[in-house]
Amino acid sequence: MTELKWTRDSTFHDGGRNFRARGPGVYDVPEDAVEEYLDHRSGAWERVDEDDTEQSANDAGSEDSNASDDGDTETTSEPEGEGGALPFSPEEHTNAEIEERIADIDDVETVRALKNLEEEQQDRSGAADAFDDRLTELEE
């Protein structure tokens, strides 16, 4: 495993590797994912410098750590947005299903948060188009 720093205050999820980074911090990432994460379109992954390593060691013992008491990483079934849990996780739905689900969402910030999560998870152009269309409808 190699340590990389996730700099966004959001969740990054790689379903193929069963890897999740929640919020900014230093994470052990799979060796085969290092270059892919560093090249991720979000630009939010960075190599760890000396200061980050010291901060990571300090965070490991804090109550806000991403690890539970038994050493397992924290997992939840609901995606998180700025205002709390989002109504669904885009990666669990087809583009058509996403379009149907967001048709009933009237909150612009929720749609934006779902769009950002989709970009981090799978980054499908069809899903992005559905989110953009819905945002256009809501902003008119």
Side-chain angles (χ1 to χ4, degrees):
M1 295 283 220
T2 299
E3 286 187 333
L4 291 180
K5 179 170 63 169
W6 176 247
T7 60
R8 283 200 173 171
D9 191 20
S10 61
T11 300
F12 173 86
H13 183 247
D14 180 350
R17 292 182 179 96
N18 197 26
F19 175 81
R20 185 180 310 262
R22 291 187 181 272
V26 176
Y27 295 89
D28 285 328
V29 303
E31 291 292 333
D32 66 329
V34 172
E35 293 306 316
E36 180 181 335
Y37 289 4
L38 289 171
D39 291 338
H40 189 264
R41 73 182 294 245
S42 67
W45 285 107
E46 298 176 357
R47 293 203 182 271
V48 176
D49 60 28
E50 197 172 300
D51 294 335
D52 296 326
T53 304
E54 290 174 16
Q55 181 65 34
S56 177
N58 292 338
D59 289 347
S62 74
E63 292 180 25
D64 295 331
S65 173
N66 288 339
S68 62
D69 292 339
D70 60 6
D72 293 336
T73 56
E74 174 186 337
T75 57
T76 60
S77 59
E78 294 191 33
E80 294 179 16
E82 290 183 24
L86 293 173
F88 67 94
S89 179
E91 73 178 344
E92 297 172 1
H93 299 280
T94 65
N95 292 346
E97 291 170 339
I98 289 172
E99 188 172 3
E100 289 176 22
R101 296 209 55 179
I102 62 175
D104 296 329
I105 299 174
D106 296 325
D107 180 57
V108 171
E109 293 306 313
T110 299
V111 176
R112 281 193 184 124
L114 285 165
K115 180 181 178 187
N116 290 339
L117 185 57
E118 165 62 26
E119 288 174 352
E120 292 171 9
Q121 292 174 336
Q122 296 194 357
D123 199 22
R124 299 170 286 186
S125 62
D129 291 344
F131 286 115
D132 289 340
D133 291 347
R134 183 62 181 145
L135 287 168
T136 299
E137 290 173 5
L138 292 173
E139 292 170 344
E140 288 179 347

